[in-house]
Amino acid sequence: IFSLGCVLLTPLAYLIRPWRALTVITGMTPLVYLPLYKSIDESPRWLQNQGRQEEAMALLERAAITNGAPLAAGLQLSSRASISNSNSVSPTPGVPELFQGVLKKRTLSMLFIWFANSFVYYGLSLNSGNLGGSLSVSYTHLRAHETPEHLVCRLLLEKKKKSRSNEYIPRLHSCLHH
C-alpha cells in the first residue's frame, strides 16, 4: 500500500510545486478520519485490563455476530487481579534476551538485512532523479514497479507458507533491474 500511495502522490506533487505546501496538504489528510473517532470501539483487551469485563464481552459478542462466527461456548474473561498475578510469576522477556543464545545470531542477521534493505531502498528512491527525463516520471516508474512485487510476494508467501525472507528475492531482482 505504501508504494501505491507513492504512485498516487506523484500527480499531486506535480500539481502542487512548493514542497512546503505539499507537506502541509498531505499532512492534513488524516483529519478526514477525525469524525470517525467516536465510532471506533475500544479494544476488548484494553477494556479487560481496565476491569470492564462486561463491555469487553459485549464487544466480543458483537464482533462474533458481525463476522458470522460463533463465540466460544463458556468463554470467560479473566479478572484484572488474576492477570496481574499471572504476570508476576513469569517476567516478560525484553531486548537483552534478543542478544543471548540462538537469538543472538538471528537478531544480528535481521539487523544487517534490515539495514542493507533500507539502504538500497532509499538509495534507489533518492537516486530516481538521476535516471534521466522527468523526475516525476522516474519516481512514478520506480514506485509502480514496486507495487506488483509486493502483491506477488504476498501471494507466494501465502502459497508456500515460508518465512518472510522470500520478499527479498523480487526486491533483489528490482535492484538488479534498475
Side-chain angles (χ1 to χ4, degrees):
I1 292 181
F2 177 77
S3 58
L4 188 60
C6 289
V7 169
L8 296 175
L9 178 66
T10 306
L12 187 63
Y14 187 77
L15 295 173
I16 304 169
R17 293 297 178 145
W19 66 269
R20 286 185 177 100
L22 179 66
T23 303
V24 169
I25 290 171
T26 57
M28 292 176 62
T29 54
L31 295 177
V32 172
Y33 298 105
L34 200 56
L36 298 175
Y37 176 73
K38 290 292 184 183
S39 66
I40 299 173
D41 294 319
E42 290 291 349
S43 161
R45 179 176 282 189
W46 184 85
L47 290 170
Q48 180 186 10
N49 287 337
Q50 298 302 312
R52 296 161 53 183
Q53 272 72 18
E54 296 82 22
E55 291 177 64
M57 194 60 154
L59 187 60
L60 288 173
E61 290 170 357
R62 192 172 44 187
I65 291 169
T66 301
N67 292 330
L71 197 59
L75 177 67
Q76 294 291 323
L77 298 178
S78 302
S79 68
R80 189 174 180 193
S82 66
I83 293 171
S84 64
N85 288 340
S86 66
N87 285 344
S88 63
V89 173
S90 61
T92 305
V95 174
E97 283 76 21
L98 291 174
F99 295 96
Q100 296 174 359
V102 176
L103 288 180
K104 180 179 183 179
K105 183 178 179 182
R106 292 178 184 167
T107 301
L108 292 174
S109 296
M110 289 308 298
L111 286 173
F112 175 75
I113 290 170
W114 173 81
F115 175 77
N117 187 43
S118 298
F119 193 76
V120 170
Y121 180 83
Y122 288 108
L124 288 173
S125 298
L126 295 172
N127 197 35
S128 62
N130 294 334
L131 293 176
S134 169
L135 175 62
S136 299
V137 173
S138 298
Y139 185 77
T140 303
H141 171 70
L142 196 61
R143 294 288 76 93
H145 188 267
E146 181 181 331
T147 304
E149 290 174 4
H150 286 291
L151 297 174
V152 168
C153 287
R154 190 59 52 206
L155 292 173
L156 288 175
L157 286 174
E158 288 178 12
K159 186 175 180 181
K160 299 278 185 176
K161 299 286 184 192
K162 291 195 176 187
S163 70
R164 293 187 65 133
S165 62
N166 286 342
E167 287 188 33
Y168 293 107
I169 295 169
R171 290 186 181 167
L172 176 64
H173 168 72
S174 174
C175 292
L176 297 174
H177 176 70
H178 294 295

